[in-house]
Amino acid sequence: MDGAQMKAESEEKKEEDVVHLRRQIGLLPAISIIIGTVVGSGIFIAPKGVLMNSGSVGLSLLVWLLAGLLSMFGALCYAELGTTFTKSGAHYTYLLETLGPLPAFLRLWVEFLFIRPAVTSYVCLAFARYVVEPLYAPCEAPAVLIKIVGILAITFVVVVNCWSVSMSSRIQVVLTFVKVFALVLIIVPGMIALTKGKTDNFQKGFELESLTLGRLPLAFYNGLYAYAGWFYLNFVTEEVINPNRTFPLAIIFSMLIVTALYLMVNVAYYAMMSPAELLMSDAVAVTFANRALQGVASVIPILVALSCLGALNGGFFGAPRMLFVGAREGHWPQIFSMIHIRRQTPLPAVLLLYPLVVLMIVIGEIYQLINFASFTRWFFIALATLGMLIHRYRFPLHPRPFRVPLFVAVTFTVVCFFIVGMSLYSDPWNTGGSCALTLTGVPIYYLVVQQYRLPHRWRHAFNYCNRQLQILLEVVQQEVKTY
């Protein structure tokens, strides 16, 4: 072996040993991350909320279509943002780059104060109910057992995401195919019923007298909750292979597939169930299966549970990257910007969420926070796309490998602000609480994040704790710039 070849192999080995987040996410895993996170418990829970607040079958289907179209518009805006700013972190990064550090920190603050723990706890408990309740039917399942199973689910997801990025990605691909199979299993008998003439529930589809404009935003919130997750690929931008190509393709394919599946699932529901029956059901998919899939009805809860597990895995794969990037920018303790020296995973950022989620599962009072989370999430998404428009105006020559049409960006931003504004009228109590919780981050930012305001003794203590945690967790800063 000559000297040049030995030197090349030595350099290759050094590159392999360098600690950094590697680009391992191709097109199929990218599509799986989006579909696998979007299709969670929402499509099995939200139809009731959409119908209740829209007032009729026709309007509810229109809400599902418009919510899908709005989500597609938002996803395309985030495709531009993801190819314009090559850092991971999604909302946080885009607010930081376009509107400045304070809005970015507030988004980071509310994400880990209540949005992420609340949403994750909700999905954990949904998973646990679909696993446990069939075992106790027709009796009521023990609440303690549901919480234990929920904690076991989140523990599994945390272990996988701490252990290996590629393992988490492969699991997400498998669970995405399971999710699609579950939806197809609902769609097929519904379509067969339609061909046999079961169209009674569609005869009076638009009953406008039952529509109240004050509740319509709540119908959209329920629909948008079911579509939430189209932005998760943006959390892991630095780990996507060829993001300029992968982002637009993954987003367009994913959102077209999800919107078509959601519409067909709701049509299938109405083909087999009356609006009154759907409103009376707490588990629409199970009620549907008992009526249309009697031979395999017992399989549906398992498939729904696996769907929830996929949403959990996608959420825990993506969201900690926002914390990771925030810590790298100095808006969170430095320890959370570090990576495990062997596993190459953002271990501290993943672990931080775990006790918060477990605590919320144990307390169990998460439904109020879900309402808080919806307002805050959509307000900051609207701010991010507004920041994109401002950045376009201020820096017209900045490279943008993918550019969304101006009409799409403006429409999405205006509609988001309109929905958020209408929620102030529809649900002022929850909206006010959400605003108050968000604003608690302002004094934290000025008193703590800007460290020059802290006493020297406090800074010394923070640095000492950071070093000890770094040794305990075997983590270091990235050794290669990945953006």
Side-chain angles (χ1 to χ4, degrees), residues 244-436:
N244 291 347
R245 174 181 177 273
T246 302
F247 263 95
L249 288 177
I251 282 171
I252 291 170
F253 283 140
S254 301
M255 294 314 298
L256 287 175
I257 291 169
V258 170
T259 303
L261 287 173
Y262 277 12
L263 281 172
M264 289 190 288
V265 165
N266 278 277
V267 169
Y269 285 154
Y270 291 126
M272 301 297 295
M273 303 165 63
S274 69
E277 289 171 329
L278 191 145
L279 291 174
M280 289 174 61
S281 173
D282 290 324
V284 179
V286 175
T287 305
F288 177 90
N290 289 332
R291 176 166 302 183
L293 299 165
Q294 295 178 2
V296 293
S298 58
V299 176
I300 291 295
I302 298 172
L303 294 176
V304 175
L306 291 173
S307 180
C308 293
L309 190 65
L312 284 175
N313 185 63
F316 252 81
F317 185 81
R321 269 63 173 181
M322 184 194 291
L323 185 65
F324 172 83
V325 175
R328 193 171 65 188
E329 298 288 342
H331 287 168
W332 213 260
Q334 190 181 33
I335 184 68
F336 297 105
S337 66
M338 296 186 181
I339 298 168
H340 194 272
I341 57 176
R342 291 185 301 277
R343 297 295 166 194
Q344 309 289 333
T345 58
L347 184 73
V350 175
L351 288 178
L352 175 66
L353 275 173
Y354 181 67
L356 298 175
V357 174
V358 170
L359 178 64
M360 200 162 288
I361 290 173
V362 171
I363 294 172
E365 299 296 330
I366 62 172
Y367 299 103
Q368 198 76 0
L369 279 176
I370 288 291
N371 294 330
F372 286 172
S374 295
F375 167 81
T376 309
R377 172 183 276 176
W378 285 99
F379 175 70
F380 278 106
I381 287 173
L383 275 185
T385 55
L386 176 63
M388 182 188 78
L389 293 170
I390 293 172
H391 191 270
R392 270 194 189 185
Y393 176 76
R394 292 179 61 199
F395 305 102
L397 300 180
H398 190 283
R400 293 177 174 83
F402 176 81
R403 189 181 181 94
V404 72
L406 183 64
F407 166 77
V408 170
V410 171
T411 301
F412 178 77
T413 305
V414 169
V415 171
C416 279
F417 276 121
F418 175 75
I419 292 174
V420 166
M422 283 294 290
S423 68
L424 288 166
Y425 169 76
S426 303
D427 196 2
W429 178 254
N430 283 330
T431 304
S434 183
C435 289

